[in-house]
Amino acid sequence: MDNREEVREFLTSRRAKIAPEQAGLPAGSRRRVPGLRRSEVAALADMSVEYYAKLERGSLAGVSPAVLEAVARALRLDDAERAHLLHLAQAADGSDALTRPRRRTTRQWSPHRSLQWTLDAITAGPAVVCNGRLDILAANPLARAFYGDLFGNADNQRNLARFNFLDPASRRFYPDWELFGDMAVAILRREAGRDPHDKDLHDLVGELSTRSEGFRTRWGAHNVRRHGTGTKRFHHRAVGDLTLAYEALDLAAEPGLTMTVYTAEPGSPSEVGLRLLASLAATEDARPAAQHPTS
């Protein structure tokens, strides 16, 4: 992914999202494009129009943290967008080399025993380990039952973004499908800024852009997101509707990987649903042993 183009499109898209009134400026009646003008962003960031125009053309190499902060403040960037701008600047001058996550693919990496033990010890909710490309690299038994449609279709390649945009089953599993699509693309866009040299990510984005108009449109919006905590709605084919809270935890021993754990509110119908799903999964796992007893 071309860094200068990424910078240009990201800054332009952020500028277009800010109404003049939000920045305390008069709206006027002669604006030909949405959002702020370059000159207005430059004034808000306390820099010359020529210098800001240079930044927006993609020239972030060597830009100081103070200038990046001024631009972030003028464009009203949130925490995820600020981090994305910093990653783009680091990539521009090559200073991301040491902070770049180690290359790993689903074929080359498997969880350490202790990590799998940790996942398996979580029995009340689905728990998965993902990379920034949204590949599920490890899961506990309840997560494998929870994501049964994803794991059941080899074409998904255990990837949440492929499942979201290419598998029709996702539209039933995600009642808020549009929201899940927005989140998936924003996470991938954030990863592209953090590790712009990831060929597997390039290939995934290229595949989804070719095969899904919904993905292609969202990718062009340049939105970024940090997957941290929140609540999501699901509809599982075996247990029905589930409303689950989630917490995403970065793995200190495995840079670039995140463990996400889903839980239900105690005493809620969703907790009952997860318990039923866990029971069904345990029954399914035990069935082969019952059918083929050892002598």
Side-chain angles (χ1 to χ4, degrees):
M1 298 176 189
D2 181 75
N3 179 261
R4 293 177 68 91
E5 181 179 353
E6 287 287 308
V7 172
R8 181 172 63 254
E9 293 183 358
F10 177 65
L11 292 180
T12 301
S13 68
R14 298 311 91 179
R15 177 162 60 86
K17 291 181 65 175
I18 304 174
E21 296 88 344
Q22 291 178 288
L25 300 170
S29 59
R30 302 181 62 183
R31 292 181 178 270
R32 293 175 294 178
V33 294
L36 299 179
R37 300 185 177 101
R38 283 181 177 177
S39 59
E40 292 168 334
V41 175
L44 291 169
D46 195 23
M47 62 183 64
S48 70
V49 178
E50 291 77 11
Y51 186 64
Y52 177 72
K54 176 183 176 182
L55 299 181
E56 198 173 277
R57 286 195 295 269
S59 299
L60 287 190
V63 173
S64 71
V67 169
L68 294 175
E69 175 58 29
V71 171
R73 187 171 58 251
L75 293 175
R76 297 176 170 249
L77 303 186
D78 61 24
D79 289 344
E81 290 168 332
R82 285 171 182 261
H84 186 61
L85 180 61
L86 178 59
H87 290 144
L88 291 175
Q90 290 173 334
D93 61 23
S95 61
D96 67 329
L98 292 179
T99 60
R100 198 179 304 157
R102 298 192 303 271
R103 282 295 308 277
R104 55 166 66 84
T105 68
T106 54
R107 296 178 298 278
Q108 296 172 339
W109 187 88
S110 59
H112 190 273
R113 289 186 305 165
S114 61
L115 177 56
Q116 189 62 58
W117 294 341
T118 300
L119 288 170
D120 292 342
I122 301 172
T123 58
V128 296
V129 171
C130 293
N131 57 23
R133 297 187 299 274
L134 296 179
D135 295 317
I136 296 181
L137 303 179
N140 67 355
L142 187 49
R144 288 191 286 271
F146 179 67
Y147 285 115
D149 287 332
L150 184 152
F151 285 107
N153 185 346
D155 290 340
N156 293 323
Q157 300 180 45
R158 298 168 63 105
N159 182 271
L160 287 164
R162 279 195 184 89
F163 175 63
N164 203 126
F165 289 100
L166 303 182
D167 191 333
S170 69
R171 292 187 177 270
R172 174 185 49 77
F173 186 63
Y174 298 137
D176 304 312
W177 187 90
E178 297 287 345
L179 174 62
F180 275 79
D182 292 343
M183 294 172 63
V185 176
I187 291 169
L188 292 181
R189 177 61 81 175
R190 176 179 179 269
E191 181 67 7
R194 194 172 72 100
D195 187 10
H197 309 285
D198 187 339
K199 183 181 182 301
D200 292 329
L201 177 59
H202 290 212
D203 293 343
L204 175 63
V205 170
E207 175 190 358
L208 295 179
S209 296
T210 300
R211 300 178 62 187
S212 169
E213 182 180 355
F215 178 88
R216 188 164 59 249
T217 300
R218 288 172 170 85
W219 186 254
H222 285 264
N223 293 327
V224 293
R225 175 187 175 88
R226 173 73 171 87
H227 194 246
T229 184
T231 302
K232 297 178 180 178
R233 297 194 307 136
F234 304 90
H235 180 84
H236 194 278
R237 60 183 175 181
V239 299
D241 293 334
L242 298 169
T243 299
L244 305 179
Y246 67 91
E247 295 287 337
L249 312 170
D250 291 335
L251 300 185
E254 295 287 350
L257 300 189
T258 302
M259 178 188 295
T260 302
V261 182
Y262 289 93
T263 55
E265 180 180 354
S268 67
S270 294
E271 183 185 42
V272 175
L274 282 183
R275 287 178 177 173
L276 175 58
L277 183 59
S279 177
L280 293 173
T283 301
E284 187 68 24
D285 289 343
R287 188 169 298 163
Q291 292 173 346
H292 304 285
T294 56
S295 56

